Amino acid sequence: MKQTYISEIPKHLGGEITIKGWLYNKRSSGKLGFLEIRDGSGIIQGIASKKDVSEQCWSDCERVTQESSVIIIGVPREHPKRPGVYELDIKDMQIVQVAHEYPITPKEHGVEFLMDNRHLWLRSRRQHAILRVRHEIIRAVRDFFDNNGFILCDTPIFTPAACEGTSTLFEVQYFDDKAYLAQSGQLYNEATAAAFGKVYCFGPTFRAEKSKTRRHLTEFWMVEPEVAYAKLDDIMELSENFISYIVGRVLENRKEELKQVERDTTMLEKITPPFPRLEYDNVVKILQLGHAEGKLENRFEWGGDLGSPDETYISSQFEKPVMVHRYPAAVKAFYMEPDPERPELALCVDVLAPEGYGEVIGGGERASSLEFVLNRIHEHGLPEEAFNWYLDLRKYGSVPHAGFGMGIERAVAWICGLEHVRETTPFPRMLYRLKP
RNA sequence: UCCUCAGUAGCUCAAUGGCAGAGCAUCCGGCUGUUAACCGGAGGGUUGUAGGUUCGAGUCCUACCUGAGGAGCCA
């Protein structure tokens, strides 16, 4: 018999259907068996009555264990006491496999245990909800760029020696050479932007930072648009439209999932353009005031990069994401365009998510002058020959251009209101955790 | 790399320096509307590892291992 998915059940009320899935949980009351079945599309409670099913079926209902794979024939109908909730009257059941004792019981578990059993943890309601939101975010990201004239131009994951020179890279053997896993598609994006105008890349990136916090993965997905002829203001506008679109899509299509993870959506509903724009200089003042009022432990000095407590404090002053722009050039990557009015500042922007979720977007205008980029490469002690192709972009039709990168996992954590990014991807890679 | 906290049954946790326990899971029995179902019973332990203090250590001390989240660094 043709398989029906649980999500499609409202269309099949009163008719006999076949559900193929797994036993999520089981309860019984004498001659009644309550079997919660999941099939990936949803969960439904099946009811087997001893007097209505075969002896074989009843004994199967009794012996079937949590997460056993089962094929069930039954008739769906509304719950007698709960409108809008559906149940399945079980007519017959075939056990595909009786599951061994399942480690994840319907009880609380610790982080270590759940992470060791991540391959099984994915079957739970909460993980389903989060990963469905992730899927919606990724679809929204693609739709946003695809519908706005951007071309997907993916960038390589194996990269040669030097890239940005800022963060720590993973080194891998590449035949007789050494290669590094990409920490950003940024530089290659500049080449494709010069070819296609508006581009984006979307893929995994790798950081070998020994960061062990709720915001860090060693492998994460980043989407990076790059726009030829764009200035800092253009990219800030793109950022706020982009984020607002994604949040809107999740609110529109993933209400149930947000409810499942107990996300208070009132904060998300406020995410509409424009976002507050703050110059770095003003951020310094706010942070120093915060310190004077005893709300921040350390006094922030002009010239430093924002630490995590600083970001949290700044974002807590606003309900929307905050765009902090014009950082000191010294704390940013070598390719940032200097502010013509104050060359010690870079034309860059970080978007800080509300509620303490930190930086979700980093970007800015890229330096377009050959001489300037060359100087910066030397100042940063980077090997010029590795950047010959990058310098070519400044020789052959150099234009102002700008772009940004958004870490998907941080966006998912923020939109879902999660404590930790480890739940935002099926198999998170973190410092000291490579399995499963 | 540094700081803080934690490690006891398959899981989540109790146990004043004095007999190592409960709930869930598993197995057996009961219950015709259960919702982390419930009720009764059973099995299940080298208390992370190695030393030390003590008549006596799960508990106190030292080192190490593992995990957690914070700093730095980063998205």
Side-chain angles (χ1 to χ4, degrees):
Chain A
M1 197 180 185
K2 192 169 175 284
Q3 174 178 8
T4 299
Y5 283 96
I6 291 169
S7 57
E8 300 294 310
I9 271 180
K11 294 185 199 161
H12 295 89
L13 297 183
E16 196 168 272
I17 59 166
T18 301
I19 298 289
K20 298 181 179 179
W22 296 262
L23 184 71
Y24 192 73
N25 197 10
K26 184 174 77 168
R27 293 173 287 274
S28 74
S29 176
K31 306 296 179 278
L32 276 185
F34 299 92
L35 284 70
E36 277 189 284
I37 312 298
R38 59 168 194 88
D39 71 350
S41 77
I43 295 179
I44 191 167
Q45 175 169 269
I47 294 135
S49 166
K50 189 177 182 182
K51 68 176 170 57
D52 294 337
V53 298
S54 68
E55 222 167 276
Q56 175 70 47
C57 178
W58 181 254
S59 75
D60 280 349
C61 286
E62 286 190 310
R63 75 187 175 101
V64 73
T65 55
Q66 189 187 356
E67 284 304 324
S68 290
S69 36
V70 291
I71 297 175
I72 289 181
I73 295 170
V75 178
R77 53 161 173 75
E78 267 207 55
H79 192 287
K81 292 172 191 166
R82 296 188 193 177
V85 175
Y86 301 103
E87 292 189 318
L88 188 71
D89 280 324
I90 295 175
K91 300 298 176 194
D92 203 3
M93 176 171 74
Q94 180 198 337
I95 298 177
V96 180
Q97 191 240 348
V98 176
H100 297 211
E101 192 177 331
Y102 191 69
I104 303 179
T105 62
K107 256 285 189 181
E108 282 174 30
H109 297 281
V111 169
E112 185 183 3
F113 177 78
L114 288 170
M115 286 308 298
D116 286 342
N117 289 284
R118 181 64 179 168
H119 52 297
L120 302 175
W121 189 21
L122 295 173
R123 301 179 183 195
S124 74
R125 276 193 170 96
R126 176 181 164 84
Q127 299 311 309
H128 254 234
I130 294 167
L131 293 175
R132 281 171 186 276
V133 172
R134 177 191 171 96
H135 181 214
E136 185 66 30
I137 289 171
I138 289 172
R139 290 211 315 169
V141 163
R142 292 199 181 282
D143 288 346
F144 180 86
F145 290 122
D146 293 348
N147 296 337
N148 282 287
F150 285 75
I151 301 293
L152 176 70
C153 263
D154 282 320
T155 54
I157 287 169
F158 285 130
T159 58
C163 211
E164 293 190 25
T166 49
S167 65
T168 322
L169 307 181
F170 284 104
E171 189 180 288
V172 294
Q173 195 66 41
Y174 193 78
F175 304 109
D176 293 334
D177 269 334
K178 293 250 162 62
Y180 299 86
L181 299 183
Q183 54 146 327
S184 163
Q186 156 70 46
L187 303 186
Y188 294 97
N189 254 356
E190 294 185 49
T192 57
F196 295 89
K198 291 160 78 174
V199 298
Y200 72 103
C201 66
F202 187 22
T205 48
F206 307 87
R207 304 278 167 96
E209 308 287 350
K210 293 207 167 183
S211 300
K212 193 171 155 54
T213 79
R214 70 184 69 201
R215 298 177 306 280
H216 287 90
L217 298 172
T218 53
E219 174 185 316
F220 63 97
W221 282 63
M222 188 155 68
V223 57
E224 296 171 275
E226 190 73 26
V227 181
Y229 287 103
K231 309 288 281 181
L232 178 64
D233 284 342
D234 300 319
I235 223 71
M236 289 203 279
E237 205 180 309
L238 186 69
S239 299
E240 64 194 0
N241 288 334
F242 173 65
I243 288 183
S244 303
Y245 177 77
I246 290 168
V247 170
R249 278 275 299 264
V250 174
L251 285 173
E252 193 182 326
N253 296 329
R254 291 290 180 257
K255 268 259 181 308
E256 279 305 308
E257 285 78 4
L258 291 176
K259 201 172 152 191
Q260 172 68 43
V261 297
E262 294 172 325
R263 179 53 155 125
D264 175 5
T265 54
T266 55
M267 289 296 281
L268 296 179
E269 277 152 15
K270 294 172 183 162
I271 311 300
T272 51
F275 296 167
R277 289 157 163 75
L278 280 183
E279 285 196 34
Y280 174 89
D281 283 0
N282 291 329
V283 165
V284 173
K285 286 175 193 156
I286 293 172
L287 291 174
Q288 289 178 345
L289 193 64
H291 173 69
E293 289 172 354
K295 291 172 188 163
L296 277 169
E297 201 174 321
N298 298 314
R299 184 183 155 84
F300 190 86
E301 297 300 337
W302 195 99
D305 204 354
L306 301 191
S308 182
D310 305 318
E311 287 181 357
T312 302
Y313 182 73
I314 292 296
S315 68
S316 73
Q317 311 291 302
F318 301 88
E319 292 189 322
K320 292 184 186 185
V322 187
M323 300 203 284
V324 179
H325 60 97
R326 292 178 166 81
Y327 283 70
V331 300
K332 291 290 174 183
F334 76 89
Y335 51 72
M336 295 288 187
E337 177 77 2
D339 185 343
E341 288 170 27
R342 290 176 62 192
E344 73 277 19
L345 301 182
L347 292 176
C348 63
V349 59
D350 282 356
V351 182
L352 309 180
E355 302 165 82
Y357 281 92
E359 185 184 342
V360 284
I361 278 183
E365 212 172 308
R366 326 303 188 186
S368 55
S369 142
L370 175 64
E371 191 189 2
F372 179 83
V373 174
L374 208 45
N375 281 339
R376 296 287 284 172
I377 285 174
H378 293 154
E379 281 167 27
H380 280 72
L382 299 168
E384 188 185 322
E385 66 280 5
F387 291 92
N388 281 337
W389 67 269
Y390 186 70
L391 292 165
D392 275 356
L393 306 174
R394 276 74 188 168
K395 288 182 191 166
Y396 306 113
S398 189
V399 294
H401 58 292
F404 64 78
M406 183 183 82
I408 291 294
E409 286 76 11
R410 282 194 186 173
V412 176
W414 162 49
I415 292 172
C416 287
L418 307 181
E419 282 294 304
H420 200 295
V421 290
R422 69 179 150 236
E423 289 181 275
T424 62
T425 186
F427 297 99
R429 298 286 95 125
M430 291 174 289
L431 184 63
Y432 307 135
R433 189 171 280 283
L434 192 54
K435 289 190 281 189

